[in-house]
Amino acid sequence: MGAGHDHGTGEIQHERPLWWALGLTMAFLVAEVAGGLITNSLALLSDAAHMATDVIALAVSLFAVRLSRRPADTKRTYGYARMEAIGAVINGGLLFVVAAYILWEAIGRFRNPPEVASGGMLVIAAFGLVVNLISMRLLKAGSGTSLNVKGAYLEVWSDMLGSVGVLIGALIIKATGWTVVDPIIAVLIGLWVLPRTWTLLRAAGHMLMQGTPSDLDLEEVRKAMASHPEVALVHDLHVWAMGSRDVILTGHVVVREGVADIDEVRRGVAAALEEQFRIEHSTLQMERTKEEGHHLHR
């Protein structure tokens, strides 16, 4: 039996800021790609590639928010929560490809640094910084209550650092004429992206493999359930997440001898799970003896 749970409808209020951030980021992405090609700046193109991943991240966040409105059906009994992890895998794969290309291109530019229009590079990077700061402001409120929005917020935050890097590179080139600074900045942005990409892919893979959420200790959950005065044993305990917020628990609970109201014990254990671990969706099979539980499993 399960306790009541929220399928993510609380995220709907964050949809408008996500739309604004997506629109601003997409508009500037086009401008930055054009500017990178015109100024011959690999650092700008590298930052544009990173901003493209922001567009994907924001689109995935919006997609997850929109799908959270759709109820589960007979074919998808858990709804569409897993699309968040699938989108993260797609995002991570693109990040790896883009970062590898930028690093490869930078090697060639170290050998033969081309001319770079530092003035145009400076102007475009400044506009990019403004767009990032506006998007961060739009997403900041939701990042505190929604892990989905927090992911998008962190994407934009890291891209803001990329814009700062391009600005610094443009200023150095303008002051010294050292065009080799351009591929150096591009490599630094690429090296910044790769570890974050691996973390993203690992987290998405862990979710798709139905791993225990990283912020939960399974043994602590087991101890909390077993601490109920009428519980003798907890076994076959499983905890996983369908999305960032949808934590699900199933388990077998053996009650002590002489307990009259098993359902009362179940409600108490479910309430403790919700209060201590914010697990709102728990399915508990109640058993009177351990032997009964083994019999049910055979």
Side-chain angles (χ1 to χ4, degrees):
M1 298 181 184
H5 56 282
D6 175 18
H7 286 289
T9 54
E11 293 190 0
I12 295 174
Q13 62 181 309
H14 306 304
E15 185 175 342
R16 181 172 292 181
L18 280 167
W19 275 115
W20 275 104
L22 178 62
L24 285 169
T25 305
M26 286 184 68
F28 183 73
L29 172 61
V30 174
E32 192 167 38
V33 170
L37 294 173
I38 292 170
T39 62
N40 201 28
S41 169
L42 183 61
L44 265 182
L45 291 175
S46 174
D47 191 52
H50 192 183
M51 189 162 278
T53 66
D54 290 352
V55 170
I56 295 172
L58 288 165
V60 168
S61 296
L62 268 169
F63 191 54
V65 169
R66 300 285 288 185
L67 284 180
S68 68
R69 300 182 183 185
R70 299 182 64 173
D73 54 39
T74 54
K75 290 186 177 180
R76 297 174 183 86
T77 56
Y78 281 113
Y80 294 81
R82 278 286 162 85
M83 287 304 300
E84 182 180 356
I86 294 171
V89 170
I90 296 171
N91 191 3
L94 288 173
L95 271 167
F96 262 118
V97 171
V98 167
Y101 171 76
I102 293 298
L103 293 174
W104 176 261
E105 185 70 17
I107 292 172
R109 292 203 175 200
F110 277 123
R111 296 172 183 160
N112 299 296
E115 290 297 319
V116 176
S118 58
M121 178 180 170
L122 184 64
V123 171
I124 294 168
F127 274 116
L129 181 59
V130 170
V131 169
N132 289 141
L133 290 173
I134 293 172
S135 296
M136 286 173 66
R137 177 68 177 174
L138 287 167
L139 299 175
K140 185 171 177 59
S143 68
T145 57
S146 165
L147 290 178
N148 188 33
V149 178
K150 184 178 181 179
Y153 175 78
L154 291 176
E155 281 280 350
V156 175
W157 183 85
S158 62
D159 194 55
M160 182 270 295
L161 294 181
S163 295
V164 171
V166 175
L167 269 172
I168 293 172
L171 288 171
I172 293 174
I173 293 172
K174 198 169 184 63
T176 65
W178 296 341
T179 55
V180 72
V181 171
D182 179 64
I184 289 174
I185 295 294
V187 168
L188 290 176
I189 293 173
L191 293 178
W192 169 263
V193 169
L194 284 174
R196 197 163 48 87
T197 302
W198 174 246
T199 301
L200 176 70
L201 283 173
R202 191 167 62 177
H206 186 72
M207 184 181 294
L208 290 173
M209 291 297 293
Q210 293 184 295
T212 304
S214 58
D215 58 342
L216 284 178
D217 185 323
L218 190 64
E219 286 309 308
E220 288 297 318
V221 174
R222 189 191 305 275
K223 288 177 183 177
M225 295 172 68
S227 67
H228 189 287
E230 305 297 341
V231 172
L233 180 69
V234 175
H235 64 100
D236 291 321
L237 183 63
H238 304 279
V239 183
W240 71 97
M242 296 302 298
S244 294
R245 301 174 61 200
D246 304 320
V247 179
I248 298 168
L249 177 146
T250 63
H252 291 227
V253 178
V254 182
V255 299
R256 298 188 184 280
E257 291 185 10
V259 173
D261 191 346
I262 277 187
D263 201 46
E264 179 66 28
V265 178
R266 181 196 61 77
R267 286 194 296 268
V269 173
L273 288 170
E274 184 171 354
E275 180 181 349
Q276 296 181 42
F277 304 101
R278 300 178 64 186
I279 299 176
E280 300 177 345
H281 191 151
S282 57
T283 303
L284 306 173
Q285 179 165 320
M286 310 302 293
E287 303 164 0
R288 289 201 174 274
T289 64
K290 186 177 179 181
E291 287 70 25
E292 178 186 343
H294 288 169
H295 176 73
L296 287 169
H297 257 46
R298 281 199 286 265

